[in-house]
Amino acid sequence: MTTRPKTAMVLAAGLGKRMRPITDTMPKPLVRISGKTLLDWSLDSLARAGVDKVIVNVHYFPEQIVAHVAARRAPRVVISDESETLLDSAGGIVHALPELGGTPFYIVNADTFWIDISVPNLARLALAWDAAKMDILLMLADPQSATGHSGGTDFLMAPDGALRRSKGDPTGLIYAGAAIVHPRLFKNAPAVPHSLNVYFDAAIAAGRLFGMPLHGRWITVGTPDAIPLAEAAVAAALAGSPGTLAELTGPFTEFK
């Protein structure tokens, strides 16, 4: 694409039930890994990719997330309030469309993150985006580069990047919780609880769902026992890199 997405949606409204008892008193996006909240891992990755405005949806302990993001300078955070009704992944996006605008935007899950090797993966995703043939472009993780993932694979990728469901095929790839989508995908969609999987399947049927493998270490944090695994993965990634944590997650000025 000629210009990178300037807006993004971070999905942070979930209940975090599998993270109990930690989430009995706090929302999952504020769980810390290597001194940084899961939410800040997402926001820092978006800032590094040049995103100016991020919509963060809230439902569970919303006041804690609102207070936390108030201290951030970049990117600018707008809260999408789902306190009354949890809208699931797609419903939350539809609810936030007035803030997201009419151009392609990033979607990032607040409970996964990654350590970039060099060029930020979100920047690579933007470079791979082609609105003429894609409605959705997913970032995908090889199981061998994943930490904390206990399920199977999600997609099989053709040589041209087109995706289909893997149905657990061990040769497949994992959805890494980051994507670029075109807002036309949600035209006339209701702001009621429903999943992004509906749109993934519709895009597959239309031949318009594509993927890009990430470069680096992908980390998902679903349960309390995943926290030390995640912190060990961060430490190992840093040990194998000449950069520091701040350098690997700070602004990336070369991406235009």
Side-chain angles (χ1 to χ4, degrees):
M1 66 187 301
T2 55
T3 58
R4 63 183 181 265
K6 303 295 287 183
T7 58
M9 177 92 189
V10 174
L11 300 173
L15 300 175
K17 292 180 179 180
R18 293 194 303 135
M19 190 60 78
R20 291 174 177 167
I22 295 173
T23 50
D24 285 342
T25 57
M26 66 186 297
K28 184 178 177 182
L30 297 188
V31 170
R32 291 184 178 271
I33 303 296
S34 299
K36 182 189 295 192
T37 69
L38 288 168
L39 180 57
D40 284 320
W41 279 103
S42 296
L43 293 173
D44 286 350
S45 291
L46 290 163
R48 191 169 188 238
V51 171
D52 295 329
K53 175 183 175 182
V54 178
I55 291 80
V56 176
N57 64 342
V58 297
H59 173 79
Y60 186 63
F61 289 116
E63 69 287 349
Q64 293 188 30
I65 293 179
V66 170
H68 181 80
V69 300
R72 286 195 64 103
R73 294 186 178 181
R76 181 167 66 90
V77 175
V78 175
I79 295 295
S80 180
D81 190 355
E82 298 178 22
S83 297
E84 293 188 5
T85 304
L86 184 60
L87 295 173
D88 205 344
S89 52
I93 292 168
V94 174
H95 180 67
L97 281 177
E99 290 286 353
L100 288 164
T103 58
F105 56 87
Y106 289 111
I107 300 170
V108 178
N109 290 349
D111 59 355
T112 64
F113 66 98
W114 55 91
I115 305 295
D116 294 316
I117 293 176
S118 54
V119 178
N121 281 289
L122 292 182
R124 293 179 55 242
L125 201 67
L127 292 170
W129 171 260
D130 182 351
K133 69 176 184 180
M134 302 173 184
D135 286 333
I136 312 174
L137 176 63
L138 304 181
M139 191 167 78
L140 303 168
D142 187 303
Q144 298 303 312
S145 70
T147 295
H149 183 69
S150 59
T153 63
D154 299 305
F155 297 100
L156 295 173
M157 187 169 67
D160 67 349
L163 299 181
R164 58 188 175 90
R165 294 285 186 179
S166 69
K167 300 179 180 179
D169 188 322
T171 66
L173 298 168
I174 305 162
Y175 173 46
I180 294 175
V181 300
H182 199 291
R184 64 186 169 220
L185 194 66
F186 304 102
K187 184 178 181 180
N188 300 322
V192 297
H194 65 297
S195 171
L196 271 174
N197 279 302
V198 173
Y199 299 90
F200 292 170
D201 290 336
I204 289 172
R208 297 184 62 83
L209 182 71
F210 285 77
M212 183 208 74
L214 71 82
H215 292 167
R217 171 59 56 174
W218 179 70
I219 301 166
T220 181
V221 186
T223 57
D225 59 4
I227 294 175
L229 296 176
E231 294 187 329
V234 171
L238 293 177
S241 168
T244 65
L245 182 60
E247 290 168 341
L248 291 173
T249 60
F252 183 77
T253 57
E254 295 178 26
F255 182 54
K256 305 298 184 183

